[in-house]
Amino acid sequence: MTRRFDLRRMGIALSAPVLAILVAVIVTSTILVVAGDPVGEVWGTILSVPRPRVIVAIINAAIVYYISAVAVAIGFRMNLFNIGVDGQYRIAAFAAAVVAGEGWLPGPLNILLGLVVAMLAGGLWAGIAGLLKVYRGVSEVISTIMLNAIATVLVAFLLRKAAPQTGSNIVSTQPIPEGSRVGGLPLIPGVSREVYGLVFLAVLIGVLYWFVLGKTRFGFDLRATGRSESAAVASGVKVKRMVLLSMILSGVVAGLVGMPLLFGQDYAYGTTFQPGLGFAGIAIALLGRNHPVGIVFAAFLWAFLDQQSNALQITAGVSDRLVLIIQGVIVLSVVIAYEVIRRLNVRIEQRRVAQALAEQAATVKEGAPA
Amino acid sequence: MRRGEPVVELHGITKRFPGVVANKDIELTVHRGTVHAIVGENGAGKSTLMKILYGVQQPDEGSIAVEGRVRQLKSPADAIEAGIGMVFQHFQLADNFTVLENVVLGAEGLHGIGDGARRKIKEISDAYGLDIEPDALVEHLGVGAQQRVEILKVLYRGARIIILDEPTAVLVPQEVDELFDNLRELKAEGLTVIFISHKLDEVLRVADAITVVRRGTTVAEVSPQDVSARDLAELMVGSELPSPSTEESTVTDVPLLTVEATSLENPLGGRPLLTDINLTIHSGEIVGIAGVEGNGQDELVEVIMGMREPTAGRILLGDVDTSTWQTREIREAGIGYIPADRHRHGLLLEAPLWENVILGHQTEPIYVTGPGGSLVNGSAARQETEAVVEQYDVRTPSINVTAGSLSGGNQQKLIIGREMRREPKVLVAAHPTRGVDVGAQAAIWDHIKQARRAGLGVLLISADLEELVGLSDTIHVILRGRLTGQFDPDSVTKEELGSAMTGATTEGAA
């Protein structure tokens, strides 16, 4: 009986993202038709089988998106909306690039140092928002948005100081020494591009996320607080401490978002370092329902759409920005669909339980509440 | 007395929720131009009844007739359309809006939002002596005036029948007098007022007719001239006396929990929430707290459970001062807790039963595993949950369903079971049998009595006098944050308790 329950629930849960994607296809197609653009060619391009080179690009993008989405999801599980992942990963990547670029430690130790610095920087930056919330009641939404803006200016300012004077237009930190770079994995044959070596970092983060939230006491307290703060307080959870801790934890993971890029591709933090990963993480966490495996699929879908749309301008004569519409509609519909499904689930389960009990006991005692 | 024709007639109203019947065969007739009071204990079914009349909930059986026409009230909009308006206990006003803006909000179509509306508001205010200035800012108004704005809002929407839910709960005595003057004006103008309360002296002062609700059904309709507050209290509680506690006293002289001169200031200012509370619970003793809701019971529990820190005094567990301890340490020390509001404080509604059984006992050795007890022991929790379900007769198809899908009574049994299975030294139980059917109620009482024989100390807070008298070894009455009297449950009468609870006997002292 329980198993049937779970299968049914899973079916319902899967129907939401599928529905959301369908809605996105319809809305996007409508926009294309209205604008007089070739609908068939657009979808033909996006849904074509990606070439090996693109597959590697999709995997690499998904790795980074995954870490970002997990960082956001940690907050979500606690009812905290950490919009600041974007600022946190940029501050962290910059700090790690500066420290690792100095090459104080040899080889792999230098990589480890870089990762630790990134985690510290991300955690500290997110901790500011946590402290503001706990001691001053400032909404983390507001403070992290502000901190994102501050992070942008701060990094730009510090980058000028840290960058070696080369006379070139590109401002960038000292490159990381050869010995401290993470080599790629030639997973896809026939292309020179390789999958980021730090893919293992993303997998590790995913496993830890699942383990800490699902299996530990800390995770139990965190989820309890997210589900009902008042019940968590009554059960002995120190909610202020939990808010601060989970905000910092979210920032620590956010700090790692830029690491596959830094150690596997760019080897320095400069003005061209990829922006916007934090905001993508919010959408992907929503789409993946904060589930460690769900986020994997969501990250791949996001990366797939991103990469496949690059060719739109050439093949269909449509701006590749179209993909933003598709992604936006997916997120909007998925948020609505999940809420509808959640309510549906609550009602269905109530009815099922009542039914099962009615079958168990032919006679139901009737009594008024005392 | 002179009575108008019936304007509200309810016949055979029955409303079931999964597992319980909230209203059963309700019969109610309200006449035009009267103030009709509905009295009953907390949880007797008054609020469900009013929600049905205001269209918030639909009855499973029975009929509603308004002004002679049978109506299907599917939503508050239907009720408003039928001429029924409701003033809730908690005001629904926007503080930073003027009276005018608040009144027209959502009713812009009636008289516009400008001078037309302003004229109409003045007209209503003058007609019923409400003394409301349309352009005053709501945040500058006192509580009494805000309530009159709520009444005016309802009148503005054309209500001829006004439901007031516990309107005096938020008022000081002078404001209560003013409100009653307003109500008399309203009925003189031919409007009808349905007045929900459990403050019997007030009901007797203002009502023209009184309907008593007990255990979900209407048990009597009386005229205030013919009854005393005692009669009403008896009707509310029921004539059947609790089964006298034939058991021998198990009270020992070992103090388990001592509350010493404890006070709690109101952080928002005003009267302290608790004043100089002194209380001792011995091993094997059940100490009952009687009081009208909102007189400091919740705060007393929160102070003992460490959810709030007292501003003065000490709380001792055995002889250890726990005043500065936090909830987790207090729970670990062996205090079980049955919260008054199980949905807000007792359960994670969207989590499975076995996770709910861990809740509040996250650090108990049985539920943890791994280094330093840092991991949740899911299989042990599931086993415990099976045991709770079995022993406490929680009706559920599985321990993997969410707590929210159980009926209220079964949710309560789950909470009782999870606390009692941990064998606490002291149990803080707020309304342990609220919303539970009669059979389960007796079972819960048995569990508590059994644990008491084994030395459990219980702080029992209940609105059910029968439960208090039947279970307690000592009863304290709490009134406005003070313990105003101590009674022996073997000799006290419900009338004595009732008048102590409403302050009738201690008016001067309190």
Side-chain angles (χ1 to χ4, degrees):
Chain A
M1 149 138 244
T2 326
R3 173 141 310 172
R4 219 178 58 214
F5 259 42
D6 291 343
L7 274 181
R8 181 182 50 78
R9 287 187 73 153
M10 224 160 90
I12 293 180
L14 281 181
S15 63
V18 170
L19 212 74
I21 292 168
L22 255 171
V23 171
V25 169
I26 295 169
V27 170
T28 313
S29 302
T30 313
I31 291 172
L32 288 172
V33 168
V34 170
D37 283 323
V39 182
E41 273 155 58
V42 166
W43 290 118
T45 306
I46 291 178
L47 298 178
S48 65
V49 178
R51 279 169 300 164
R53 194 181 50 80
V54 179
I55 293 182
V56 175
I58 290 174
I59 296 174
N60 280 344
I63 290 169
V64 178
Y65 283 158
Y66 184 76
I67 302 176
S68 172
V70 169
V72 176
I74 292 171
F76 275 151
R77 291 300 286 269
M78 168 87 191
N79 261 345
L80 285 175
F81 203 161
N82 182 6
I83 296 183
V85 170
D86 213 67
Q88 288 147 21
Y89 93 82
R90 280 181 286 135
I91 288 263
F94 171 75
V98 169
V99 172
E102 293 293 333
W104 285 319
L105 296 176
L109 281 181
N110 198 28
I111 301 172
L112 211 61
L113 178 69
L115 296 182
V116 169
V117 168
M119 282 159 47
L120 280 177
L124 281 174
W125 199 248
I128 299 173
L131 286 173
L132 282 171
K133 181 165 177 92
V134 168
Y135 289 107
R136 283 287 169 270
V138 181
S139 159
E140 76 282 3
V141 175
I142 306 295
S143 61
T144 50
I145 289 176
M146 299 299 180
L147 283 166
N148 278 346
I150 297 172
T152 305
V153 182
L154 188 65
V155 169
F157 173 75
L158 292 176
L159 191 56
R160 291 264 160 214
K161 310 231 160 221
Q165 302 301 319
T166 56
S168 148
N169 272 345
I170 298 161
V171 185
S172 168
T173 57
Q174 192 102 355
I176 295 168
E178 295 271 356
S180 301
R181 298 179 180 179
V182 181
L185 306 172
L187 286 186
I188 309 292
V191 273
S192 58
R193 251 177 120 163
E194 294 174 324
V195 172
Y196 294 143
L198 284 180
V199 61
F200 295 114
L201 184 66
V203 174
L204 183 70
I205 288 172
V207 171
L208 278 177
Y209 171 69
W210 164 80
F211 181 78
V212 170
L213 263 93
K215 299 290 164 191
T216 66
R217 230 180 60 203
F218 172 79
F220 185 92
D221 283 356
L222 190 145
R223 284 183 292 127
T225 315
R227 274 174 166 146
S228 165
E229 190 175 317
S230 50
V233 169
S235 85
V237 175
K238 293 165 183 111
V239 167
K240 284 190 170 183
R241 203 172 131 247
M242 288 302 294
V243 168
L244 188 58
L245 270 179
S246 46
M247 202 66 203
I248 290 174
L249 207 59
S250 178
V252 164
V253 176
L256 295 171
V257 168
M259 294 304 101
L261 293 168
L262 181 63
F263 285 101
Q265 178 181 301
D266 295 353
Y267 310 122
Y269 186 96
T271 39
T272 54
F273 202 80
Q274 192 178 348
L277 293 172
F279 296 117
I282 297 172
I284 295 164
L286 279 173
L287 186 59
R289 289 192 95 181
N290 304 326
H291 190 281
V293 178
I295 298 174
V296 173
F297 288 112
F300 269 102
L301 177 67
W302 223 250
F304 175 83
L305 289 173
D306 268 355
Q307 298 298 326
Q308 292 290 86
S309 62
N310 282 341
L312 277 180
Q313 191 75 61
I314 303 158
T315 58
V318 176
S319 163
D320 58 359
R321 299 263 127 182
L322 181 72
V323 75
L324 297 179
I325 297 180
I326 304 177
Q327 291 174 335
V329 177
I330 290 180
V331 168
L332 262 182
S333 6
V334 95
V335 168
I336 297 168
Y338 282 148
E339 183 57 23
V340 170
I341 299 257
R342 192 187 66 81
R343 292 185 194 175
L344 198 71
N345 249 333
V346 166
R347 220 170 302 152
I348 290 178
E349 183 149 314
Q350 269 174 354
R351 206 170 309 145
R352 293 252 167 158
V353 168
Q355 231 168 44
L357 291 177
E359 283 162 22
Q360 269 177 27
T363 52
V364 176
K365 276 185 195 167
E366 283 193 345
Chain B
M1 66 159 289
R2 186 183 54 82
R3 274 184 167 184
E5 71 282 10
V7 287
V8 174
E9 292 163 275
L10 304 184
H11 288 300
I13 296 285
T14 297
K15 174 74 184 170
R16 295 184 194 86
F17 293 112
V20 288
V21 181
N23 279 162
K24 194 166 191 277
D25 291 330
I26 293 272
E27 297 288 330
L28 177 67
T29 306
V30 180
H31 295 270
R32 182 183 303 285
T34 61
V35 174
H36 194 117
I38 299 192
V39 300
E41 288 185 291
N42 290 315
K46 293 174 304 209
S47 58
T48 306
L49 179 59
M50 288 307 116
K51 279 181 188 162
I52 288 172
L53 188 53
Y54 192 52
V56 178
Q57 275 167 347
Q58 280 70 54
D60 297 321
E61 289 167 27
S63 68
I64 303 173
V66 182
E67 294 176 334
R69 273 182 58 199
V70 174
R71 296 266 194 171
Q72 298 275 338
L73 303 175
K74 292 210 175 67
S75 70
D78 286 351
I80 291 166
E81 206 259 330
I84 299 173
M86 182 146 175
V87 174
F88 291 91
Q89 191 177 344
H90 301 286
F91 301 151
Q92 301 179 328
L93 296 172
D95 279 351
N96 51 350
F97 276 20
T98 64
V99 169
L100 171 75
E101 287 164 336
N102 267 290
V103 171
V104 298
L105 191 65
E108 297 84 353
L110 290 176
H111 307 281
I113 57 170
D115 283 338
R118 190 172 282 112
R119 246 191 326 272
K120 186 71 189 167
I121 290 171
K122 280 213 171 103
E123 198 182 302
I124 297 173
S125 171
D126 291 345
Y128 302 107
L130 294 175
D131 190 22
I132 294 288
E133 176 51 52
D135 293 309
L137 210 55
V138 164
E139 65 186 347
H140 295 155
L141 300 181
V143 176
Q146 290 192 13
Q147 191 169 52
R148 294 200 299 277
V149 174
E150 285 281 13
I151 294 174
L152 196 144
K153 251 169 79 179
V154 165
L155 294 171
Y156 186 84
R157 285 157 175 74
R160 299 175 296 279
I161 300 149
I162 303 169
I163 306 170
L164 298 172
D165 184 12
E166 303 274 359
T168 61
V170 290
L171 302 180
V172 299
Q174 298 87 318
E175 289 172 327
V176 171
D177 292 339
E178 283 172 26
L179 171 69
F180 287 178
D181 287 340
N182 291 141
L183 296 189
R184 289 184 191 107
E185 295 258 8
L186 291 176
K187 78 178 186 193
E189 297 293 323
L191 297 178
T192 310
V193 177
I194 299 178
F195 180 94
I196 302 167
S197 183
H198 54 228
K199 295 189 178 164
L200 301 182
D201 49 340
E202 291 175 1
V203 166
L204 288 172
R205 267 170 58 201
V206 74
D208 300 305
I210 303 169
T211 296
V212 181
V213 179
R214 184 172 79 231
R215 305 217 160 202
T217 192
T218 42
V219 291
E221 192 188 320
V222 292
S223 164
Q225 288 87 354
D226 308 336
V227 291
S228 66
R230 288 183 177 196
D231 300 333
L232 271 184
E234 234 168 45
L235 282 169
M236 270 167 62
V237 179
S239 49
E240 73 274 18
L241 284 158
S243 55
S245 174
T246 49
E247 290 176 54
E248 283 190 21
S249 169
T250 58
V251 182
T252 65
D253 55 4
V254 183
L256 288 180
L257 183 80
T258 315
V259 180
E260 276 181 13
T262 295
S263 300
L264 180 66
E265 293 297 328
N266 188 342
L268 306 174
R271 178 165 61 76
L273 298 168
L274 294 174
T275 310
D276 197 26
I277 301 278
N278 285 289
L279 192 72
T280 305
I281 301 169
H282 298 93
S283 176
E285 183 182 29
I286 297 181
V287 175
I289 303 284
V292 175
E293 197 125 318
N295 272 284
Q297 295 95 319
D298 292 350
E299 289 77 11
L300 177 60
V301 168
E302 284 173 3
V303 163
I304 293 176
M305 291 312 299
M307 290 151 75
R308 287 188 182 209
E309 213 167 294
T311 33
R314 299 198 304 166
I315 294 167
L316 304 172
L317 191 60
D319 45 18
V320 187
D321 187 347
T322 67
S323 323
T324 59
W325 288 18
Q326 300 213 16
T327 309
R328 178 146 291 167
E329 287 78 49
I330 289 172
R331 282 204 175 237
E332 283 169 350
I335 301 196
Y337 177 33
I338 298 169
D341 185 338
R342 58 179 165 259
H343 286 179
R344 271 177 54 76
H345 295 120
L347 294 169
L348 303 172
L349 292 174
E350 292 189 34
L353 299 191
W354 68 269
E355 287 196 359
N356 274 288
V357 165
I358 301 177
L359 190 71
H361 306 279
Q362 289 100 313
T363 53
E364 283 283 321
I366 183 172
Y367 295 133
V368 297
T369 176
S374 57
L375 304 184
V376 172
N377 190 342
S379 58
R382 284 192 177 83
Q383 269 175 29
E384 267 299 296
T385 309
E386 295 285 5
V388 168
V389 166
E390 169 80 30
Q391 280 181 20
Y392 291 81
D393 189 30
V394 181
R395 310 266 169 88
T396 174
S398 147
I399 59 164
N400 295 314
V401 300
T402 57
S405 55
L406 297 189
S407 71
N410 282 308
Q411 290 173 349
Q412 189 70 8
K413 285 188 277 185
L414 184 80
I415 293 176
I416 307 260
R418 115 181 140 197
E419 299 303 323
M420 300 299 275
R421 286 276 301 175
R422 302 271 58 78
E423 296 178 350
K425 295 193 192 90
V426 178
L427 180 69
V428 175
H431 311 282
T433 61
R434 178 181 279 179
V436 172
D437 65 54
V438 183
Q441 190 175 35
I444 291 173
W445 287 342
D446 277 345
H447 283 297
I448 292 178
K449 281 182 189 167
Q450 217 175 332
R452 177 182 69 154
R453 279 198 288 277
L456 175 76
V458 180
L459 181 71
L460 175 68
I461 287 149
S462 180
D464 184 344
L465 293 184
E466 195 175 319
E467 178 171 81
L468 275 177
V469 172
L471 281 183
S472 305
D473 298 297
T474 315
I475 296 180
H476 291 276
V477 169
I478 194 166
L479 180 67
R480 293 179 206 120
R482 292 169 185 271
L483 293 183
T484 54
Q486 184 174 345
F487 295 91
D488 179 352
D490 289 334
S491 55
V492 73
T493 65
K494 285 204 197 81
E495 292 69 39
E496 282 170 343
L497 273 183
S499 45
M501 280 161 61
T502 50
T505 54
T506 48
E507 198 73 81

